[in-house]
Amino acid sequence: MRIVCIGGGPAGLYFALLMKKQNPAHQVTVVERNRAFDTFGWGVVFSDATMQSMREWDPQTAATIEDAFNHWDDIELVFKGRKIRTTGHGFVGIGRKKMLNILQERCLELGVELVFEQDVLSDEEFADADLIIASDGVNSRIRARHEDVFRPDMLMRPNRYIWLGTDKAFDAFTFDFQRTEHGWFQAHIYKFDDSTSTFIVETTEEVFNAHGIGEMDQDQSIAFCEKLFADTLDGSRLMSNARHLRGSAWLNFGRLICEKWSHFNGKSHVVLMGDSAHTAHFAIGSGTKLAIDDAIELTRQFNAFGHDAKNIPAVLDAYEEVRGVDVARIQNAARNAMEWFEVVGHRYADTLEPEQFMYSMLTRSQRISHENLRLRDPEWLEGYERWFAKRAGVEPAADGSVPPPMFTPYTVRGLTLRNRIVVSPMAMYSATDGLADDFHMVHLGARAMGGAALIFPEMTCTSPDARITPGCLGLWNEEQTAALKRIVDFVHGQTPAKIGVQLGHAGRKGSTKRGWEGMDQPLDEGNWPLLSASAIPYLSQSQVPRAMTRDDMDRVVADFVAATKRAAAAGFDILELHAAHGYLLSSFLSPLTNRRGDEYGGSHENRARFPLEVFRAVRAAWPQDRPISVRLSTTDWHEGGNTPEDAAIFARMFREAGADLIDCSTGQVVTDDSPVYGRLWQTPMSDKIRNEVGVATIAVGAISEADHANSVIAAGRADLCAVARPHLADPSFVLHEAAKIGFSGVEWPKQYLSARSQYENNLARAAAEAAGRK
Ligand SMILES: Cc1cc2nc3c(=O)[nH]c(=O)nc-3n(C[C@H](O)[C@H](O)[C@H](O)COP(=O)(O)OP(=O)(O)OC[C@H]3O[C@@H](n4cnc5c(N)ncnc54)[C@H](O)[C@@H]3O)c2cc1C
Ligand SMILES: Cc1cc2nc3c(=O)[nH]c(=O)nc-3n(C[C@H](O)[C@H](O)[C@H](O)COP(=O)(O)O)c2cc1C
């Protein structure tokens, strides 16, 4: 085959050498616009996994690269006058120039033709090529020529950064945060040879503008950075190698995704590779890794289909399919890390103490968890756990041990929870006339014995017409109060758990069948009239609700107050107001369901007016020493709906009205929402609200093991973690998770104690066997 790589960065060079090595009969050319052995760039970092693949695919290059590598294990944080260091992170770094020179030499050795100083204008310059690799970087001209086919989506991010170097070798990956009168700057610093380090300085557009950096030339902005990071630089100078760029050389990162990666131009197949196909933010240092992995995968597909031009279409399809998945995964992690650095100033740097700030930074991509950190640096993690426990009021035991973050107590008003896990409210649709019965006693009783600090029964409705289904719990009469009190008394009398009540009104999502009979479907008979902010049905076949009148509001407020008093009398420890998921109060908050033209619709203030009125009335009726949380849909996952920004505005209003906690759920407001699921998928909203609004939060959603909960609590992304479905699968979820992480400080019901050691021993045996198999 005749192969031309346009662009001699890591992608083009590595693919060229791999293909030539696989089949020396291929005629492979790399065309690069820069001069031979003359490239821009400071150092790049690599992961062990990429290095392992490189060893398998071309041991010779891998060995030379490894010889030139700088290894280091430590991360150091410079923040608020402190230096905090952890180890065990295993980085390797190499100068970009060094690496490209190694690849160039290997190309020549294998017989790849290298053409320098040729600026390619079009893929059609190589009409004789069977395959053209568009490895021409993020601003790919070849991609731009076929934009209609590749359909690139370039999202320019708000932060500004400048890629500098310094002649000081830092022995740790160093993150230095400095505050100016206008806001925060951060430097990402890592060495790549014995005497030089990469030094990337980043800040928000706002701070960049406030300092007038856009008007500075490169020398002035370098002088600015040298002054800002003078302590860390310790006399060393910063250097630019972007003299070819005009102006100050501060860039915005562009996140690139392409819908299609390959195209037949009538003569040759053209395929994107490396930065021309996708970008990943430097916060996780994966750009070079992705370029190398692309080159390997395309070669692997040629090996699978056969090194023949006729197989190119099938090879390219397979390449795109395999790489698309991996790239999406990395871009996802990169996005979390990138966003962390975009909001770090006002969200974390201003509020978190250095210890927690470090933890938050280390876990920014949500790919490194609490137990990962323990594997990397047990000493540092144990120190952090002690710091965290102390803040939660826990002194170390005689042997110096402290509970992990999720097992520290939490106090809010007069309520102290013994750990951070909450059984999230879950509708069981099993009540008759709103009355709790033996099912509820057994269901809730079992979970109260299962180790969680706080359990919530399902949404409990304030009137018969406030129910979602005929099977929902209610609190509109004394019989219901007595039935719930029986459960509350059991929980208080027989278990160390606390129990909360979630009060709600179904609004336009009411009068439907029980979950398993047809979720959200109207009843076949016996429907009751519905209320909502506006007269918009939930499903096309749903009943049209009445837009609430002032009289309706008065009645609903009175019902909430009466239910609150009953809940207090029943002895519930905490009350949660359900203002999420498209139910009545949520229908006022979301612009998708609230189309009112009066003082209850329109602005945030108007949309929150009725929910806040309910909240204030409930707060006044609820004992002062007992806390209230408010559950919000912190995004509607829908164009034109509430975003996390809107949710933060509402959270602030509820906090000011006296809410103690915001329970951060999402969505379920409209049927055509597009939630993005995944591990800890709603936690970013909790993180935002807790740290930007300054209110305690409950995180919920796919928090399904102790490691997740510990990571969320330790990083300060929430104060409590609500766990729903795992508690349906396993009433003793918390007891079991504690055993899995080897924490013995959680109390089992005394009646079950004989099971405990057997359970723990079985786990220990399984772990030992698994370790033996490795
Ligand atoms: C601030 C910053 C820090 C980074 N840090 C890291 C890091 O630590 N680790 C990491 O792995 N990655 C890092 N990256 C990303 C990394 O630089 C790229 O992801 C990687 O180089 C992509 O390789 P590539 O071969 O696809 O593209 P490039 O390296 O951009 O190579 C493209 C080549 O094509 C040439 N070219 C372009 N157009 C033409 C044309 N028309 N004709 C001929 N030649 C052309 C260019 O001169 C260039 O040599 C960082 C990026 C930035 C911006
Ligand atoms: C069967 C079931 C019923 C639910 N009922 C309620 C409810 O009554 N009130 C509420 O706020 N959320 C309810 N939810 C949502 C959960 O409280 C929780 O937010 C969601 O399941 C995500 O957590 P998970 O990933 O741990 O399951 C329910 C969830 C399930 C699975």
Side-chain angles (χ1 to χ4, degrees):
M1 282 187 291
R2 165 97 177 100
I3 302 169
V4 176
C5 302
I6 303 176
L13 289 169
Y14 199 58
F15 180 70
L17 76 83
L18 287 185
M19 286 299 280
K20 190 73 184 168
K21 183 177 167 184
Q22 299 298 311
N23 188 342
H26 291 323
Q27 211 191 322
V28 188
T29 307
V30 178
V31 188
E32 166 59 46
R33 66 181 171 199
N34 289 337
R35 282 178 300 177
F37 299 93
D38 172 22
T39 93
F40 78 95
W42 302 106
V44 295
V45 290
F46 258 64
S47 71
D48 285 347
T50 302
M51 216 42 249
Q52 182 54 31
S53 313
M54 289 181 88
R55 268 182 229 120
E56 283 161 22
W57 282 87
D58 187 40
Q60 196 166 328
T61 329
T64 329
I65 288 180
E66 277 176 298
D67 270 354
F69 261 157
N70 279 270
H71 294 252
W72 72 97
D73 280 327
D74 293 4
I75 293 181
E76 182 164 282
L77 168 68
V78 182
F79 182 58
K80 293 186 179 168
R82 294 264 308 276
K83 282 187 182 172
I84 303 180
R85 192 179 266 247
T86 81
T87 193
H89 301 283
F91 296 101
V92 284
I94 184 169
R96 176 182 159 95
K97 189 168 173 172
K98 179 98 194 163
M99 174 168 156
L100 291 186
N101 290 349
I102 291 170
L103 297 179
Q104 288 160 351
E105 265 161 27
R106 181 73 175 133
C107 277
L108 291 177
E109 201 176 290
L110 288 165
V112 172
E113 182 193 16
L114 298 182
V115 178
F116 291 98
E117 297 180 68
Q118 183 179 336
D119 195 3
V120 178
L121 297 177
S122 159
D123 40 299
E124 282 166 21
E125 289 173 31
F126 307 97
D128 62 331
D130 300 300
L131 179 64
I132 294 178
I133 307 294
S135 48
D136 52 344
V138 63
N139 298 316
S140 168
R141 191 178 279 156
I142 307 301
R143 185 187 69 229
R145 286 197 74 244
H146 304 291
E147 212 163 66
D148 52 328
V149 181
F150 297 128
R151 293 189 295 283
D153 170 22
M154 178 75 89
L155 183 67
M156 294 316 284
R157 302 301 308 188
N159 268 10
R160 291 292 195 132
Y161 71 89
I162 184 166
W163 200 358
L164 301 170
T166 179
D167 50 5
K168 172 176 171 181
F170 285 79
D171 63 348
F173 200 130
T174 303
F175 293 96
D176 185 348
F177 292 79
Q178 292 296 332
R179 202 197 156 98
T180 69
E181 67 276 25
H182 298 301
W184 290 87
F185 284 80
Q186 58 260 12
H188 311 232
I189 315 163
Y190 49 93
K191 74 169 173 183
F192 59 87
D193 63 28
D194 290 344
S195 58
T196 331
S197 300
T198 302
F199 201 106
I200 303 169
V201 182
E202 187 187 11
T203 190
T204 62
E205 185 82 22
E206 214 184 353
V207 176
F208 176 84
N209 288 332
H211 281 282
I213 298 175
E215 281 81 59
M216 297 180 188
D217 63 23
Q218 282 196 40
D219 290 330
Q220 287 167 324
S221 77
I222 285 178
F224 176 88
C225 294
E226 281 177 346
K227 194 162 160 225
L228 191 57
F229 295 103
D231 283 349
T232 290
L233 282 168
D234 196 19
S236 296
R237 307 299 308 269
L238 290 177
M239 306 175 276
S240 166
N241 60 9
R243 296 281 169 197
H244 58 287
L245 294 178
R246 279 190 303 276
S248 68
W250 290 70
L251 306 171
N252 289 85
F253 174 77
R255 192 280 287 122
L256 172 72
I257 296 173
C258 290
E259 263 182 54
K260 185 100 194 70
W261 293 19
S262 65
H263 167 58
F264 185 64
N265 71 8
K267 300 212 171 70
S268 322
H269 292 274
V270 182
V271 63
L272 305 178
M273 185 179 283
D275 271 10
S276 70
H278 44 67
T279 55
H281 190 257
F282 56 84
I284 63 163
S286 287
T288 310
K289 164 197 160 56
L290 287 176
I292 295 286
D293 290 349
D294 282 355
I296 290 176
E297 188 56 40
L298 190 54
T299 312
R300 192 198 314 275
Q301 294 301 344
F302 272 112
N303 286 358
F305 283 89
H307 281 251
D308 191 300
K310 73 175 189 318
N311 297 325
I312 293 177
V315 164
L316 296 185
D317 284 350
Y319 157 76
E320 183 175 334
E321 196 181 323
V322 175
R323 290 302 297 145
V325 175
D326 191 42
V327 166
R329 194 175 54 79
I330 300 270
Q331 284 186 326
N332 208 16
R335 190 194 58 221
N336 291 337
M338 169 181 78
E339 286 177 358
W340 192 91
F341 284 109
E342 287 171 0
V343 298
V344 61
H346 67 282
R347 189 185 292 178
Y348 309 113
D350 283 338
T351 53
L352 300 183
E353 292 177 55
E355 286 80 359
Q356 192 163 39
F357 185 85
M358 175 70 149
Y359 189 102
S360 175
M361 184 180 81
L362 293 173
T363 55
R364 63 188 178 270
S365 72
Q366 293 208 15
R367 285 206 308 174
I368 295 181
S369 71
H370 198 71
E371 294 309 317
N372 292 147
L373 287 174
R374 196 188 305 284
L375 287 176
R376 289 167 188 230
D377 189 350
E379 202 177 314
W380 178 80
L381 191 78
E382 281 162 24
Y384 183 69
E385 289 187 337
R386 278 195 295 280
W387 178 87
F388 190 92
K390 190 160 182 218
R391 272 173 90 235
V394 183
E395 287 304 322
D399 64 356
S401 65
V402 291
M406 68 182 272
F407 286 108
T408 57
Y410 183 71
T411 298
V412 49
R413 295 205 190 216
L415 174 68
T416 295
L417 302 175
R418 67 197 174 118
N419 64 49
R420 307 302 186 99
I421 304 299
V422 177
V423 177
S424 200
M426 280 179 284
M428 294 287 108
Y429 313 116
S430 299
T432 310
D433 295 329
L435 202 61
D437 59 22
D438 287 350
F439 168 81
H440 302 88
M441 171 61 97
V442 172
H443 167 66
L444 295 164
R447 273 126 198 109
M449 292 193 290
L454 173 64
I455 63 162
F456 271 104
E458 66 204 67
M459 174 168 108
T460 302
C461 308
T462 52
S463 60
D465 69 338
R467 289 175 300 168
I468 312 167
T469 74
C472 290
L473 281 180
L475 248 182
W476 61 82
N477 63 40
E478 294 316 309
E479 206 188 341
Q480 292 159 346
T481 314
L484 286 174
K485 183 169 186 310
R486 188 172 152 249
I487 296 172
V488 172
D489 288 346
F490 171 83
V491 172
H492 287 163
Q494 302 277 340
T495 82
K498 305 290 181 188
I499 179 165
V501 63
Q502 185 190 52
L503 291 186
H505 186 305
R508 70 177 191 147
K509 291 174 81 175
S511 191
T512 63
K513 297 181 178 175
R514 291 168 174 83
W516 52 85
E517 290 167 349
M519 190 64 113
D520 300 322
Q521 297 302 321
L523 294 169
D524 292 333
E525 52 189 32
N527 281 295
W528 55 83
L530 300 180
L531 296 176
S532 191
S534 298
I536 311 168
Y538 183 60
L539 306 172
S540 55
Q541 69 272 31
S542 302
Q543 220 186 113
V544 179
R546 180 168 79 233
M548 282 179 90
T549 62
R550 187 56 239 184
D551 283 351
D552 292 327
M553 293 182 192
D554 292 342
R555 204 261 289 171
V556 168
V557 172
D559 288 343
F560 267 98
V561 169
T564 300
K565 289 181 179 160
R566 290 195 174 96
F572 284 104
D573 300 294
I574 175 172
L575 184 150
E576 177 163 284
L577 189 65
H578 199 333
H581 301 170
Y583 296 124
L584 186 67
L585 301 183
S586 160
S587 76
F588 276 84
L589 296 176
S590 172
L592 299 174
T593 46
N594 182 342
R595 302 278 166 75
R596 297 176 74 106
D598 60 6
E599 71 265 41
Y600 299 99
S603 65
H604 289 103
E605 200 187 357
N606 282 358
R607 291 190 336 255
R609 193 179 304 279
F610 178 61
L612 280 172
E613 183 183 336
V614 172
F615 176 84
R616 289 200 181 94
V618 165
R619 183 60 272 181
W622 185 242
Q624 277 310 301
D625 62 335
R626 297 190 214 173
I628 304 195
S629 71
V630 177
R631 182 166 257 208
L632 294 178
S633 286
T634 53
T635 169
D636 289 346
W637 301 113
H638 194 286
E639 183 93 39
N642 281 331
T643 63
E645 257 344 292
D646 300 307
I649 294 171
F650 293 130
R652 185 166 282 114
M653 291 177 180
F654 280 106
R655 187 201 69 186
E656 282 164 6
D660 301 292
L661 289 149
I662 302 294
D663 187 348
C664 300
S665 188
T666 66
Q668 301 176 51
V669 172
V670 288
T671 48
D672 57 341
D673 57 359
S674 314
V676 182
Y677 296 115
R679 185 166 52 106
L680 306 177
W681 61 294
Q682 297 175 144
T683 300
M685 294 25 137
S686 164
D687 185 359
K688 176 181 173 72
I689 288 177
R690 181 178 190 273
N691 294 304
E692 289 184 6
V693 177
V695 62
T697 59
I698 306 176
V700 64
I703 299 173
S704 38
E705 51 183 87
D707 197 21
H708 297 164
N710 274 326
S711 309
V712 171
I713 299 296
R717 299 197 162 96
D719 297 273
L720 300 172
C721 287
V723 176
R725 288 163 300 171
H727 269 118
L728 292 186
D730 178 3
S732 299
F733 168 78
V734 174
L735 299 181
H736 292 161
E737 284 303 306
K740 285 182 200 161
I741 59 168
F743 175 65
S744 56
V746 62
E747 199 180 324
W748 280 51
K750 56 183 178 298
Q751 298 86 342
Y752 298 173
L753 271 178
S754 54
R756 179 179 190 154
S757 53
Q758 186 200 36
Y759 188 80
E760 288 173 352
N761 291 342
N762 284 347
L763 281 176
R765 193 169 309 129
E769 279 170 16
R773 273 199 301 274
K774 271 192 190 154

